Amino acid sequence: MKNTVNTLLEMKRNGEKISQITCYDYTTARLVEASDINMILVGDSLGMTMQGYKDTLPVTLDEMIIYGRSVQRACEDTFVVVDMPFMSYQASPEQALMSAGRIMKETGASAVKLEGGKEVCPQIRAITAAGIPVVAHIGMTPQSVHAMGGFKVQGKGEANARRVFEDALAVQEAGAFAVTLECVPPLLSEAITKKLDIITIGIGASKECDAQVLVYQDMLGMSPRTPKFVKTFANIGEMMTQAFNEYDKEVKSQAFPTAEHTFVKSDCSKEFLDELMEEYK
Ligand code: KIV
């Protein structure tokens, strides 16, 4: 079934949970498309997972478009959201609209995501007014890592909980159809999910959220460190290193390649090659 804004909102209304995973390349996107997962996020976390930066700040709009386009090429039914990177929307609603427009035109994705609460509502209004679906992102917002003093749980204590709650209401009012709640305590996430008509997507939040998202390298045991909220669903990282070592061993011992992996049938004769060698002596 093709996932759209309407089918996803219908799932929330019916109390059905929604799954989302990050993805950044065509090969992995094909595997996600073959699964039952509803949504892909081409997250700017690719700055860390694919590019090796220590945070997401260096990622550019052009880079997001390259990764987003590669993912979208593999997706028919999976709903693809592309992140708006740092400084591609903060300056003004006009800047946000132009950046979101480029993402939609050049990747073929179905929605964009941006970080922030009340302060980015003018941007959300401008983008949604142009017919582009928006996912908001509140709580721990990685693009503000320096302002937050690190990757820390947000919404602790009543004043902070009120701020996150009001941010959730504000982004809904501005027109977002979903909001990611990152590192927000469970009771607060649950209260926000009950209050909102739009979809809440939890990461380090609560199972009561309408949807969950994880970074795929984290849940497949491919990351050097995994945050507390991650569950390892398979140890693909270990399997890959094991396979690389087996390949290395077989190359060096000449166990690989065998006749089975070469084009023996179309080979030329030994006599011809002897003559060739002679000619080029
Ligand atoms: O960039 C990203 O992958 C994200 C998720 C962690 C929600 O924003």
Side-chain angles (χ1 to χ4, degrees):
M1 184 192 80
K2 187 162 180 61
N3 290 278
T4 65
V5 169
N6 292 341
T7 63
L8 296 167
L9 284 167
E10 184 67 14
M11 285 176 79
K12 162 148 186 156
R13 284 192 288 272
N14 293 339
E16 285 174 64
K17 296 294 177 192
I18 301 164
S19 53
Q20 186 182 45
I21 191 147
T22 66
C23 189
Y24 319 99
D25 68 282
Y26 175 79
T27 302
T28 314
R30 279 186 58 227
L31 300 174
V32 179
E33 172 75 8
S35 78
D36 296 327
I37 287 181
N38 302 104
M39 303 171 81
I40 279 178
L41 170 64
V42 184
D44 62 353
S45 52
L46 66 83
M48 300 160 87
T49 57
M50 305 298 284
Q51 299 179 329
Y53 292 119
K54 67 178 182 0
D55 57 43
T56 59
L57 273 60
V59 178
T60 67
L61 183 59
D62 287 337
E63 288 170 339
M64 289 308 303
I65 288 171
I66 292 168
Y67 286 96
R69 199 188 276 152
S70 312
V71 167
Q72 184 61 60
R73 276 191 202 116
C75 295
E76 278 284 320
D77 295 338
T78 316
F79 188 91
V80 178
V81 182
V82 176
D83 246 340
M84 300 186 68
F86 180 60
M87 288 320 295
S88 70
Y89 60 93
Q90 284 91 344
S92 67
E94 292 72 25
Q95 185 207 23
L97 178 56
M98 293 313 289
S99 301
R102 273 200 65 198
I103 290 174
M104 299 300 283
K105 268 177 105 75
E106 297 178 39
T107 68
S110 298
V112 297
K113 175 166 87 58
L114 50 74
E115 296 183 8
K118 287 178 191 160
E119 72 283 8
V120 294
C121 282
Q123 279 85 339
I124 297 175
R125 281 196 194 90
I127 298 170
T128 53
I132 301 172
V134 171
V135 179
H137 183 160
I138 61 173
M140 209 278 280
T141 47
Q143 290 175 19
S144 308
V145 60
H146 297 295
M148 292 182 305
F151 297 107
K152 293 186 175 151
V153 175
Q154 301 295 303
K156 282 201 234 169
E158 291 178 2
N160 288 325
R162 174 181 290 277
R163 184 177 50 75
V164 174
F165 191 84
E166 289 178 357
D167 275 342
L169 288 174
V171 297
Q172 167 169 276
E173 203 275 321
F177 82 96
V179 57
T180 299
L181 306 179
E182 182 161 0
C183 296
V184 172
L187 289 179
L188 176 58
S189 308
E190 195 178 334
I192 292 171
T193 303
K194 280 195 183 130
K195 181 70 187 164
L196 296 188
D197 295 322
I198 64 172
I199 298 158
T200 59
I201 306 173
I203 174 160
S206 160
K207 70 179 169 61
E208 302 303 330
C209 290
D210 303 307
Q212 298 293 327
V213 61
L214 280 178
V215 169
Y216 91 81
Q217 288 92 340
D218 289 350
M219 57 98 82
L220 294 183
M222 299 167 81
S223 299
R225 284 171 303 282
T226 48
K228 172 179 160 53
F229 54 77
V230 171
K231 176 174 171 183
T232 305
F233 285 82
N235 253 316
I236 306 295
E238 220 171 88
M239 285 171 70
M240 285 174 77
T241 307
Q242 216 170 60
F244 294 150
N245 275 333
E246 270 166 42
Y247 167 65
D248 171 77
K249 213 160 79 195
E250 292 200 12
V251 167
K252 289 171 182 166
S253 67
Q254 290 185 283
F256 174 86
T258 61
E260 189 192 337
H261 308 110
T262 50
F263 300 98
V264 179
K265 280 194 189 139
S266 33
D267 216 345
C268 44
S269 68
K270 170 111 182 37
E271 292 73 36
F272 169 78
L273 285 173
D274 285 345
E275 277 170 32
L276 200 61
M277 298 282 273
E278 195 58 35
E279 196 180 321
Y280 283 91
K281 207 151 68 175

